[in-house]
Amino acid sequence: MKVLIIYAHPREDSFNHAVKESFESGLKFAGHEYEVIDLYKEEFNPVITESELKGEIGEQVKGYQEKIKQSDYLAFIYPTWWFRCPPILEGWFDKVFTSGFAFKYIPFIGSFKRPIGLLPVKKAVVIETYGGPGWFYKLFRCTIPWKRLKLGVLKFCGIKKLIHYPLYYAPFTTDKKRKHFLDKVRKLGKGLR
């Protein structure tokens, strides 16, 4: 199985970087092939241009789309900031999940059209870190970032199987708990099917 990891955190000394490395370790142990797109290292520009809005696709984006076509699984690893993905990842979705590649509209009723997903890969795992405790997000229904990504991006574009792996209270928890998180992420990588 081939996994394409899309990673969005600028610091190599971050907990997110350790999460990525643990996930990679699990994939290696299971014998899966994988590749990492590190958006910050690649200096990906998330700002969409007028020509891109008109359908022009640059070489970097074409390369990302080709990597998606060759993958069996997508994995997204990132922190949740201000109740959303980092802007660099949001821009990546805008530029890479284009009409005609990730989705298209088909006739529905009269002049109305409905979207259908076209992504060739049908499975994804989302591993995201949060600053707050899980009970807070669940009690106050603050899971909007995940729901928007799940329904408005991934399922919209045709991904059928989704695994959501939130790591709550990541910056404030104990080292023991962080190690436990990393062990769970490693097991997740080992167990992908």
Side-chain angles (χ1 to χ4, degrees):
M1 182 165 60
K2 185 158 186 188
V3 180
L4 181 63
I5 300 170
I6 298 89
Y7 174 67
H9 197 290
R11 292 179 50 186
E12 287 194 16
D13 63 344
S14 70
F15 181 64
N16 273 262
H17 193 266
V19 167
K20 179 184 72 73
E21 288 182 333
S22 291
F23 186 68
E24 288 178 272
S25 172
L27 293 174
K28 281 181 204 170
F29 184 86
H32 298 312
E33 286 182 61
Y34 71 91
E35 184 173 354
V36 177
I37 296 173
D38 184 329
L39 297 176
Y40 284 95
K41 274 192 180 172
E42 294 190 17
E43 297 182 347
F44 176 74
N45 179 2
V47 179
I48 199 161
T49 66
E50 182 179 352
S51 61
E52 288 169 323
L53 279 176
K54 292 178 180 176
E56 184 181 302
I57 298 173
E59 290 305 312
Q60 186 183 37
V61 169
K62 286 179 188 173
Y64 293 148
Q65 290 177 340
E66 196 54 43
K67 289 176 183 187
I68 290 170
K69 288 178 190 175
Q70 296 168 9
S71 299
D72 302 304
Y73 236 108
L74 299 179
F76 300 93
I77 301 172
Y78 61 88
T80 298
W81 292 334
W82 295 103
F83 289 91
R84 62 171 167 65
C85 304
I88 199 167
L89 181 56
E90 296 280 358
W92 189 86
F93 287 125
D94 289 345
K95 288 184 165 189
V96 177
F97 284 14
T98 57
S99 177
F101 172 72
F103 67 93
K104 71 177 182 178
Y105 290 97
I106 59 171
F108 184 53
I109 299 172
S111 63
F112 292 105
K113 295 185 179 210
R114 71 175 185 85
I116 60 166
L118 299 177
L119 281 180
V121 59
K122 300 299 180 195
K123 301 177 199 171
V125 59
V126 175
I127 306 168
E128 59 180 327
T129 57
Y130 287 86
W135 64 263
F136 173 85
Y137 292 95
K138 292 169 189 161
L139 179 67
F140 294 105
R141 302 197 186 277
C142 296
T143 56
I144 293 167
W146 161 240
K147 288 179 182 172
R148 188 193 64 79
L149 178 63
K150 177 175 85 171
L151 299 174
V153 179
L154 301 175
K155 286 196 178 258
F156 184 94
C157 292
I159 293 180
K160 305 280 187 226
K161 180 181 177 185
L162 285 165
I163 298 171
H164 182 225
Y165 223 73
L167 303 174
Y168 296 110
Y169 211 55
F172 308 110
T173 195
T174 64
D175 287 341
K176 182 179 177 182
K177 183 71 173 173
R178 272 192 218 91
K179 184 181 179 321
H180 176 70
F181 284 162
L182 296 177
D183 289 341
K184 286 176 72 174
V185 168
R186 189 174 297 107
K187 287 177 187 167
L188 176 65
K190 283 169 47 175
L192 277 191
R193 302 279 179 266

